Amino acid sequence: MDNISFTSLIKPVKMSKFMFRTDKIPVNNFVSYPWTCKESRKAQSAFTTGVEDCTMCGITDGKDVFMMHICPTKSANADFSKIKQFIEDKVNLKNLNLNAVVIGGKYYPDDKRSLKLFDNFVNFLKKQNIPTSYFRGGDVYERVDIAYTSSSDEWIVASRYLDPFIDKLGPQEVLSRIFPRICIADCDEITY
């Protein structure tokens, strides 16, 4: 993966900035409910809201993003091999300029589907040798909104829960308030 020539920026932002930024993204690039493969989007910019126990997977080549928001409790999402096949049908996985971001997963003592789905995405991307930054949730149950814009090769992440911390903590510290497990690919950078 030495051919990657761009650095994706991952930025925690206040909800007001998220709303302002996503207002400029076409509404048909919104990954919406019921959060199955069918709602996925491939475009220059895309966004989704309300990621909690779901997993958002975004794969980009710096020009376009393929964004999924997959709910672990939907029966349509129970078989990860079907999700994997869907990705393989939509994304040229041989493109050496791909990188990915995976956000989500929550810990529930009596239900492992959320973390299993998240881990399936991360493991699949690793097997494809796609550099992947990931943010795995813990037991903080807050919704997260995510957008990607190819013009700046930038991921923005927002949550009302994070708003009070944005002016007080560094960007990785802010994200770690919701995501105790963070791994940043060499080709990515967390910043404000």
Side-chain angles (χ1 to χ4, degrees), residues 24-44:
K24 297 173 182 356
I25 298 174
V27 71
N28 60 337
N29 294 3
F30 175 62
V31 183
S32 62
Y33 182 84
W35 304 316
T36 68
C37 290
K38 291 178 185 177
E39 292 76 39
S40 300
R41 296 289 180 258
K42 187 171 185 178
Q44 289 182 336

Side-chain angles (χ1 to χ4, degrees), residues 6 13 34 66 74 84 91 110 153 172 174 191-192:
F6 59 92
V13 299
F66 176 70
K74 298 285 181 191
K84 184 177 99 167
V91 178
D110 299 329
D153 193 18
Q172 185 155 340
V174 167
T191 186
Y192 277 132

Side-chain angles (χ1 to χ4, degrees), residues 27 59-61 73 99 105 116 118 128 132 150 157 165 188:
V27 71
I59 304 170
T60 181
D61 60 5
T73 61
N99 74 353
K116 182 179 178 188
F118 179 91
Q128 299 299 319
T132 302
S150 63
V157 181
F165 303 108
D188 292 339

